[in-house]
Amino acid sequence: MRVPLSWLREYVDVPADATPEDVLAALVRVGFEEEDVHRFELEGPIVVGEVLEFVEEPQSNGKTIRWCQVDVGAEHGGVRGIVCGARNFFAGDKVVVTLPGAVLPGPFPIAARKTYGHVSDGMIASARELGLGEEHSGILRLVELGIDAPAGTDAISLLGLDDTAVEINVTPDRGYALSIRGVAREYSHSTGAPFRDPADRPWDEVAPGSGFAIAVDDQSPIRGRVGASEFVVRVVRDVDPTKPTPAWMVARLTLAGIRSLGILIDITNYVMLELGQPIHGYDLDKLQGGITVRRATPGEKLETLDGKVRTLDPEDLLITDESGPIGLAGVMGGGTTEMSDATRNVLIEAATFDTVSIARTARRHKLPSEASRRFERGVDPLVPFVAARRVADLMVQYAGGTSDDGLGGALFAEVELAGIALPPTFVQRLIGVDYTPDQIEGALRLIGCEVIAAEDAEGWQVIPPSWRPDLTDKWTLAEEVARIEGYDRIPSELPLPPSGRGLTAAQQGRRRVANALAAAGFVETMSFGFTTEEQNDLHGSASGEHLPSVKLANPLDGQAPFLRRSLVPGLLQVAHRNVSRGFTDLALFETGSVFLPEPGRQYGTPFVPPLAVRPDAATLAELDASIPPQHRHVAVLLSGNIVPKQPGVAPVIAELSDAVDAVRTVAAAAGVSIDLVQGQRAALHPGRTGVLWVTVPRTGERVEVGYVGELLPAVAEAADLPGRVLVAEMDLDLLLSLAGERVAAASLSGFPPATQDVSLVVPAGVPAAEVRAAVVEGAGELLESLRLVDDYRGQGVPEGSKSLTFALRFRAPDRTLTAAEATDAKLAGVAVAAERFGATLRE
């Protein structure tokens, strides 16, 4: 919100010597954020000049210039010769002259210079050159602004160009501050300066006439709230839309960031900024019948003021007459009834619209406006009558109109402001400051609340002011006390955490896994949880078959409207983005939720619980049931070189073994032991795909926890990734649950190991991991480790078979093993493998 200081001073006593920085500092004390200071970047001398005469001189370049004699006042050198290319002025006109030494916005310094055969001793300025708007078709004629000042008058102060505006950031809960009225009140709260409320007018002054038909016919209110709770109209007749907007008003609107568009529209914008109440003006002669506020019908269309024809949604709230829609309520008017230079009679509208309706319409049509910005935050329901009257008064004063006080209308309901119970010590306990009861009462009364002592003499009943819809409970009241009393009173002390709290076992496990991968050289990434149904089917299932996915009703990206079933699509997008920027050696990982809906179930609910009310247990249960199961996964991706090229070292390309090492890293951090068995997945290369299993120690049950493998070349190419791409994905929640709550480190034996090898011949189709598991099971507790060292297929091995050689290490915790004990344990393992797979010792 930009606030011109001259405007602010009309409603609160700002010291004459206060700088913009002083005003910003005062507003920061009551919770606003300072943004900027805006000025007309001008330096004098810039004065009023009278064009005495001019001679038009055609030039060789086809342009005709005017050699002007301009009287700039005796104190500025009298008559000066100035070259001007504009042709929209006449002898006798008063204009704005920038004399040598002046500086215009840009910066654009002015100096006497020779041009077109003359020495131009200054420049006659246009509105755009002065920073008063975008008009640059000709120079600024003061008669068009209704100004007739003597030559030599300081034009900077005459046009209000010496004003300054401060800009503050207004948070969504403080919509009242999107007005001069609101900011002036807050400045008063900060400094104690007297505040004069521009909306404080007696009812007999602001009451509209009657006789104009108004109706609100909302058949489909959103969340039970009627679209328009208040609607006020007034009529001003015989206006002259060609009359100039006063220079001071143009300057204030410009500083506030609003472009001057003619006296009628400027007045409605001016009052909106002053009171925070959006106003719309209609050409009364273009209206057909009365006004009805209703919802749109399917397929209905409206041409808005920006010239676009918009297809309306049944939720859109409309302003209509007998001809149909004439405006999007609270957002933008329609083209059929807009005010123009031919307008003679104006219907002024000031209303209170439902915040949700306006916000949804503005976003649906991508049509943010100054009006919708205020309506969606909530406007003061007691202001529309005052605002309509203020617009009528200004149109009478500056547009030459006559207020038709007999014709008008109003629809409104009684404004009911619910009280809030505030316990006596609640504010002190929440904020941590020992406020006295008088300080709490004083702060609340200062912001406009009515404070009544509770009947039981414990605490207060607080009724918020009409312009503060954000004050809804005791917590918001406590925040206001802290704001008014000063945030500097809140002690900067960290609260002591209660004992016994900290990260849960699952949180600790997730952190261990992430830290372990980062320590292994992987970079953590975060990707959006949205993807396509095709990507879900490809990466979310082993065979690529169609699986149910959750589709969002309002996705951020219409091309990716489904919640992900796998982390891999997001990692592929991140990898593609990095490769496109020249980073080709990638080791990435992500931990995040995936969404695995159950087949045949519908998720989501049309029921939305009301705001500001804690849902009951049944409602929470219903909401929980409407959400699909969410599992936290961990996934890794490798591409390019795992070891870069460097002096004396050749580059090492990432292989499947590197992805398997990443799996082992995750398993070690989670506290489980993972077995790798060859498998198949639709997106992965056949023969280079492994299924990951964990054996539960207590039951011996084997649980599938994920997969690892190399992407099919076609899948990598579709993701625009060159070369080989290795991925792995595991159910992290499942891994941590299988590990149990505590991971115990194994003790180290001080006795020497006994090592042996064994070569087993098994059918070629038997996975080596399953043979290994059989040997481990049979060898018993003496077996410390077992590692596959060779997979041989060739001469000496029967066709259709393979020879697997394992290195075994045995150790006892209490003695040195003999060779016989180690051999017996090995043969026990061989016996289990023989029983399950027909394994034989290779001779």
Side-chain angles (χ1 to χ4, degrees):
M1 175 68 186
R2 295 185 180 186
V3 184
L5 296 188
S6 65
W7 204 349
L8 185 67
R9 286 187 169 99
E10 289 188 8
Y11 303 119
V12 67
D13 292 343
V14 180
D17 59 349
T19 66
E21 291 71 22
D22 295 335
V23 175
L24 282 173
L27 294 175
V28 167
R29 284 197 296 272
V30 285
F32 292 104
E33 295 178 11
E34 64 175 276
E35 292 287 334
D36 205 351
V37 175
H38 299 272
R39 299 178 174 89
F40 293 101
E41 302 295 338
L42 301 169
E43 294 181 17
I46 301 176
V47 300
V48 174
E50 181 179 357
V51 179
L52 302 178
E53 61 178 354
F54 57 80
V55 178
E56 294 191 345
E57 298 180 354
Q59 303 297 312
S60 59
N61 61 4
K63 183 177 180 180
T64 298
I65 61 98
R66 288 180 173 182
W67 171 238
C68 309
Q69 301 300 311
V70 184
D71 181 8
V72 295
E75 63 273 29
H76 297 290
V79 178
R80 297 193 181 217
I82 299 175
V83 173
C84 184
R87 305 179 66 181
N88 68 318
F89 60 95
F90 308 93
D93 273 348
K94 299 290 180 65
V95 295
V96 177
V97 180
T98 57
L99 299 176
V103 179
L104 296 180
F108 179 44
I110 303 299
R113 64 190 184 97
K114 187 172 183 179
T115 180
Y116 294 110
H118 302 282
V119 176
S120 184
D121 201 13
M123 186 183 80
I124 305 175
S126 68
R128 189 172 74 177
E129 288 163 340
L130 293 171
L132 276 174
E134 297 301 317
E135 180 60 40
H136 196 56
S137 60
I139 60 96
L140 178 64
R141 300 172 63 221
L142 295 183
V143 67
E144 295 178 349
L145 299 179
I147 296 176
D148 184 16
T153 302
D154 180 15
I156 292 180
S157 58
L158 180 69
L159 298 176
L161 302 179
D162 54 351
D163 201 358
T164 304
V166 295
E167 183 176 3
I168 56 174
N169 179 36
V170 177
T171 53
D173 60 327
R174 301 176 72 180
Y176 68 94
L178 291 173
S179 65
I180 303 298
R181 178 194 184 208
V183 176
R185 178 182 279 110
E186 290 297 328
Y187 183 86
S188 171
H189 296 167
S190 176
T191 63
F195 168 67
R196 298 172 290 278
D197 190 352
D200 186 13
R201 298 183 66 170
W203 172 250
D204 57 355
E205 283 187 15
V206 301
S210 59
F212 191 89
I214 308 171
V216 176
D217 184 20
D218 188 356
Q219 299 296 324
S220 304
I222 297 177
R223 299 183 184 176
R225 292 198 291 261
V226 176
S229 58
E230 192 169 1
F231 202 94
V232 181
V233 296
R234 303 189 74 100
V235 173
V236 178
R237 299 189 181 275
D238 301 321
V239 297
D240 181 0
T242 64
K243 279 184 172 290
T245 301
W248 58 267
M249 185 180 291
V250 174
R252 286 182 176 181
L253 289 174
T254 301
L255 279 176
I258 303 293
R259 185 163 55 99
S260 176
L261 296 172
I263 182 61
L264 299 182
I265 297 176
D266 287 351
I267 287 173
T268 61
N269 285 334
Y270 186 85
V271 173
M272 176 186 69
L273 293 174
E274 184 174 73
L275 299 177
Q277 171 66 53
I279 301 288
H280 190 69
Y282 302 90
D283 188 324
L284 181 61
D285 299 324
K286 295 178 182 179
L287 284 171
Q288 299 181 25
I291 283 180
T292 299
V293 183
R294 62 171 174 84
R295 301 285 172 181
T297 58
E300 204 166 13
K301 297 182 183 296
L302 169 67
E303 181 180 350
T304 46
L305 288 174
D306 56 3
K308 295 182 179 180
V309 177
R310 302 180 184 275
T311 301
L312 304 176
D313 185 273
E315 271 196 356
D316 290 336
L317 192 66
L318 301 180
I319 309 297
T320 67
D321 65 4
E322 293 178 1
S323 67
I326 58 174
L328 276 173
V331 179
M332 184 174 285
T336 58
T337 57
E338 70 172 313
M339 297 183 294
S340 66
D341 287 346
T343 298
R344 291 296 174 264
N345 302 304
V346 176
L347 181 78
I348 302 165
E349 167 213 300
T352 301
F353 295 117
D354 174 48
T355 57
V356 175
S357 292
I358 303 308
R360 289 187 179 181
T361 295
R363 284 158 179 74
R364 183 181 300 113
H365 295 283
K366 297 180 175 61
L367 196 59
S369 64
E370 290 292 333
S372 67
R373 185 182 176 206
R374 286 162 174 80
F375 276 127
E376 64 190 27
R377 287 163 171 78
V379 298
D380 187 349
L382 301 183
V383 162
F385 292 93
V386 177
R389 181 71 205 196
R390 174 71 164 148
V391 171
D393 292 344
L394 291 175
M395 286 187 178
V396 169
Q397 183 176 359
Y398 295 108
T402 302
S403 179
D404 188 347
D405 294 335
L407 181 61
L411 287 178
F412 59 95
E414 197 70 28
V415 178
E416 296 183 2
L417 302 171
I420 302 170
L422 183 63
T425 60
F426 176 78
V427 176
Q428 295 92 325
R429 287 187 289 109
L430 182 67
I431 306 300
V433 176
D434 252 343
Y435 299 116
T436 66
D438 288 343
Q439 288 174 329
I440 294 174
E441 287 189 39
L444 294 176
R445 287 199 172 96
L446 184 65
I447 64 173
C449 293
E450 182 181 352
V451 184
I452 306 169
E455 293 182 0
D456 57 1
E458 291 290 328
W460 303 272
Q461 192 72 13
V462 182
I463 301 176
S466 59
W467 59 86
R468 293 299 302 272
D470 58 306
L471 300 182
T472 57
D473 49 41
K474 58 185 179 181
W475 288 274
T476 53
L477 293 178
E479 289 173 0
E480 288 300 294
V481 173
R483 185 174 69 87
I484 296 301
E485 285 296 317
Y487 293 128
D488 55 336
R489 292 191 59 184
I490 301 175
S492 299
E493 297 176 5
L494 289 175
L496 295 176
S499 61
R501 299 293 180 87
L503 297 178
T504 64
Q507 290 170 331
Q508 291 175 353
R510 291 196 290 267
R511 185 167 292 187
R512 283 198 310 272
V513 168
N515 289 342
L517 285 172
F522 287 80
V523 176
E524 185 172 12
T525 67
M526 295 179 64
S527 58
F528 285 115
F530 316 119
T531 186
T532 64
E533 193 170 30
E534 293 76 15
Q535 289 291 308
N536 267 345
D537 291 344
L538 179 62
H539 296 282
S541 65
S543 60
E545 76 272 14
H546 176 68
L547 292 175
S549 298
V550 178
K551 185 176 183 179
L552 298 175
N554 55 341
L556 291 177
D557 182 355
Q559 295 181 344
F562 292 89
L563 293 177
R564 64 188 178 188
R565 293 183 62 96
S566 167
L567 300 181
V568 172
L571 283 177
L572 293 177
Q573 290 181 352
V574 173
H576 166 65
R577 194 172 300 115
N578 279 272
V579 169
S580 68
R581 287 158 175 76
F583 301 101
T584 56
D585 299 334
L586 301 174
L588 310 175
F589 82 95
E590 179 178 2
T591 61
S593 296
V594 298
F595 305 86
L596 307 175
E598 299 173 3
R601 277 202 58 184
Q602 293 293 325
Y603 292 94
T605 174
F607 170 70
V608 178
L611 299 176
V613 178
R614 177 178 173 79
D616 57 24
T619 302
L620 290 173
E622 180 182 352
L623 292 174
D624 288 339
S626 69
I627 301 173
Q630 302 178 40
H631 296 243
R632 190 176 293 271
H633 280 201
V634 58
V636 300
L637 180 146
L638 291 160
S639 181
N641 295 327
I642 197 72
V643 176
K645 182 180 180 180
Q646 49 194 303
V649 178
V652 178
I653 298 176
E655 299 283 352
L656 182 58
S657 58
D658 298 306
V660 173
D661 286 344
V663 169
R664 303 288 185 205
T665 299
V666 171
V672 298
S673 178
I674 283 185
D675 296 324
L676 177 65
V677 178
Q678 189 173 20
Q680 289 187 342
R681 288 189 71 87
L684 301 184
H685 200 295
R688 300 177 189 170
T689 302
V691 179
L692 306 175
W693 297 84
V694 171
T695 301
V696 182
R698 295 180 298 275
T699 64
E701 178 188 3
R702 299 182 69 207
V703 180
E704 183 178 343
V705 296
Y707 63 89
V708 62
E710 179 182 334
L711 282 183
L712 284 168
V715 175
E717 183 179 356
D720 293 325
L721 296 177
R724 303 173 64 181
V725 179
L726 295 312
V727 296
E729 183 169 13
M730 289 159 280
D731 188 329
L732 184 54
D733 287 341
L734 181 57
L735 277 177
L736 295 174
S737 67
L738 294 175
E741 294 185 359
R742 181 172 297 178
V743 178
S747 60
L748 297 177
S749 172
F751 295 94
T755 59
Q756 294 194 14
D757 291 342
V758 64
S759 295
L760 299 177
V761 178
V762 296
V766 176
E770 295 188 8
V771 178
R772 177 186 183 279
V775 175
V776 169
E777 181 180 340
E781 295 181 355
L782 293 179
L783 180 64
E784 185 176 77
S785 72
L786 183 148
R787 183 166 51 90
L788 178 67
V789 296
D790 189 31
D791 181 339
Y792 175 73
R793 311 177 195 206
Q795 187 176 1
V797 175
E799 187 175 352
S801 299
K802 60 183 176 182
S803 173
L804 302 176
T805 301
F806 296 95
L808 298 85
R809 185 171 68 233
F810 298 93
R811 195 192 309 259
D814 56 351
R815 67 187 187 281
T816 301
L817 286 178
T818 65
E821 287 177 308
T823 300
D824 289 342
K826 176 184 71 173
L827 293 177
V830 171
V832 175
E835 178 184 351
R836 293 183 181 174
F837 310 112
T840 60
L841 286 170
R842 183 182 173 193
E843 298 178 356

